[in-house]
Amino acid sequence: MKKIILAVGQLFGGGAERVVSIWSSKLYKAGYDVSILICGRGENEYQISPNVKILSITSKYNDFQKMSYINRYFSYRSILIKEKPDVVISFLPTTQIWCNLASIGLKFKRIETVRNNPWYIFQKNRICKFLWRRCFNKANCIIVQTNEQIKFFSKKNQKKCIVISNPLTPKIIDNEPMKLSNEIRNFIASGRLNPQKNYPLMIEAFRIAHKNYPSIKLNIFGKGNERYAQELEKIIKEKKLENVVFLKGYSSEILKEYENADAFLMTSDYEGLPNSLIEAMASKLICISTDCKTGPKDLIDDGVNGFLAKTGDAKSICDCIISAINLSTSQIENMGNNARKKIIDFCSDEKSFKTLLEIIEN
């Protein structure tokens, strides 16, 4: 029985962690000995199969941040030596660097993943950028989310790249939403509160649209840096949108929140392949996203199953919001059905997992 370790920083938060929770369970069911290596535990973790072993360097995620670099190195290395994995699949740049450094001289199959726009990773830190690229040079295989991401790599490493889109949870596949909005008034956004998502731009575009459509509302779900959240609250207050735009915090039942919304809004400056957009489209919401690099252009066919706006352009985003508001009931139904059909095909869990197994075994 092959022993597989999936390495990621934590089990709560974003899309990479969700993928780890899905893949670990499916790999166990496929007959593998599966473990997840993390820095530390935290609240609101994704549900993990009880048959999957958790290898946590510290009991709490915050404790890992207090560790010296030397202790981090030896902690990772001791676990890898003890576990003797056949395959290690690493997620997210910092974890990838630590696993790579700590495994020098150790022999196992190395599968690296790209979970965000690679051009934006470690822009201001050349040493980390160098170490991150080294991970891919040493990798046996590189899993990317879109064909566009392959262009980031050298010609040699491009040959190692295989595209696997984010898998859908069974809950999304099995429970097709039956709700149909008669009109678009309630907008929702979901994602970590950080500058990458450009929430100030979202709020400004919504402010412009609200002037002519005063009945529209926007609920923003997600958590992140407290100072950034306070800045967003300040912006909302300055624009006098306290009764229009709401920061709702983290929701463990975001799919239920989607059921209460008519349209989804994402204004990121860059992405990988955004899970929040995938889930919103699968929920038949009318989706609006910036055409940022990378991901949204692979999912949204403008005007067919959603709307694409120019990245960083509040007016373009506002125009898309207005286009959504003015859709007829039949247009809403058609666009929602088209969105779900695209996602079910593009993010086929069966197709993506079959590819993953082929990578592990070959």
Side-chain angles (χ1 to χ4, degrees):
M1 181 186 296
K2 279 191 176 180
K3 181 178 283 190
I4 300 175
I5 289 180
L6 293 89
V8 69
Q10 57 201 25
L11 288 174
F12 56 91
E17 295 82 2
R18 186 180 70 83
V19 170
V20 168
S21 71
I22 296 172
W23 280 0
S24 61
S25 177
K26 292 182 75 67
L27 285 168
Y28 169 77
K29 291 178 181 178
Y32 295 95
D33 181 346
V34 186
S35 301
I36 300 176
L37 172 57
I38 58 174
C39 301
R41 308 304 297 263
E43 298 178 354
N44 300 313
E45 291 184 339
Y46 286 104
Q47 186 173 356
I48 304 298
S49 168
N51 299 303
V52 173
K53 183 165 62 174
I54 307 297
L55 309 170
S56 187
I57 290 176
T58 57
S59 59
K60 295 181 180 179
Y61 182 75
N62 289 339
D63 292 339
F64 179 83
Q65 306 298 324
K66 301 173 185 176
M67 292 178 69
S68 68
Y69 288 165
I70 293 294
N71 286 338
R72 292 183 192 184
Y73 168 82
F74 282 110
S75 295
Y76 271 106
R77 187 167 179 83
S78 63
I79 289 175
L80 292 172
I81 290 174
K82 180 182 177 181
E83 295 297 321
K84 296 183 175 62
D86 297 295
V87 180
V88 174
I89 308 174
S90 299
F91 294 77
L92 302 180
T94 301
T95 298
Q96 290 172 308
I97 290 173
W98 280 117
C99 282
N100 184 266
L101 292 174
S103 65
I104 292 174
L106 304 181
K107 293 184 179 180
F108 52 77
K109 188 166 190 174
R110 302 166 187 266
I111 301 176
E112 301 292 348
T113 66
V114 175
R115 309 304 310 174
N116 207 331
N117 183 323
W119 286 273
Y120 282 84
I121 305 300
F122 296 129
Q123 278 186 305
K124 299 180 181 179
N125 192 322
R126 292 184 178 181
I127 294 176
C128 288
K129 189 82 169 182
F130 168 79
L131 292 174
W132 192 52
R133 284 180 176 272
R134 184 181 184 278
C135 296
F136 300 114
N137 293 336
K138 299 295 182 180
N140 299 99
C141 178
I142 303 168
I143 296 175
V144 297
Q145 298 167 300
T146 70
N147 285 306
E148 189 175 13
Q149 292 172 349
I150 296 176
K151 299 174 184 177
F152 169 80
F153 297 98
S154 65
K155 289 186 177 180
K156 181 179 179 181
N157 284 342
Q158 284 182 10
K159 296 177 182 178
K160 303 178 187 177
C161 290
I162 296 179
V163 178
I164 300 182
S165 61
N166 297 353
L168 290 171
T169 62
K171 189 175 182 179
I172 293 177
I173 297 171
D174 297 337
N175 299 326
E176 181 173 355
M178 302 304 293
K179 172 181 171 287
L180 173 65
S181 298
N182 293 320
E183 58 180 9
I184 305 299
R185 291 295 180 268
N186 296 313
F187 288 75
I188 190 171
S190 174
R192 282 181 176 163
L193 299 185
N194 64 33
Q196 172 185 343
K197 306 297 184 180
N198 205 339
Y199 287 111
L201 179 70
M202 179 184 296
I203 295 168
E204 172 58 16
F206 208 79
R207 180 193 68 81
I208 300 171
H210 181 261
K211 287 193 297 185
N212 293 322
Y213 299 89
S215 64
I216 61 174
K217 306 285 184 184
L218 170 62
N219 288 318
I220 300 174
F221 287 88
K223 67 177 183 178
N225 183 281
E226 188 174 336
R227 183 177 297 178
Y228 185 71
Q230 291 173 351
E231 290 176 6
L232 295 179
E233 291 280 14
K234 184 179 178 182
I235 292 171
I236 291 170
K237 186 175 181 179
E238 288 175 348
K239 295 182 184 294
K240 298 182 173 21
L241 295 173
E242 297 97 321
N243 296 317
V244 179
V245 179
F246 306 91
L247 297 183
K248 306 292 284 187
Y250 173 79
S251 172
S252 60
E253 297 288 346
I254 194 62
L255 295 181
K256 289 185 178 179
E257 302 296 345
Y258 286 165
E259 290 177 5
N260 297 320
D262 306 315
F264 175 87
L265 191 55
M266 190 177 80
T267 55
S268 300
D269 291 329
Y270 61 95
E271 282 288 345
L273 188 68
N275 277 297
S276 57
L277 178 59
I278 288 172
E279 292 175 349
M281 292 178 69
S283 300
K284 293 187 178 181
L285 288 176
I286 302 302
C287 293
I288 299 167
S289 172
T290 47
D291 61 353
C292 63
K293 199 175 185 176
T294 60
K297 294 189 293 292
D298 293 82
L299 302 174
I300 294 180
D301 303 311
D302 189 36
V304 177
N305 59 12
F307 296 100
L308 286 173
K310 293 180 182 178
T311 304
D313 190 327
K315 184 181 182 303
S316 178
I317 298 165
C318 175
D319 289 344
C320 288
I321 292 173
I322 293 172
S323 294
I325 292 171
N326 289 326
L327 290 173
S328 67
T329 301
S330 61
Q331 288 174 322
I332 292 171
E333 181 177 12
N334 289 336
M335 187 169 282
N337 287 334
N338 289 340
R340 181 172 172 84
K341 185 176 183 299
K342 174 66 177 275
I343 294 304
I344 294 299
D345 179 62
F346 190 88
C347 298
S348 167
D349 186 45
E350 182 180 343
K351 187 193 305 180
S352 65
F353 189 67
K354 181 182 178 182
T355 305
L356 177 65
L357 292 180
E358 291 172 353
I359 293 171
I360 290 171
E361 292 298 332
N362 294 335

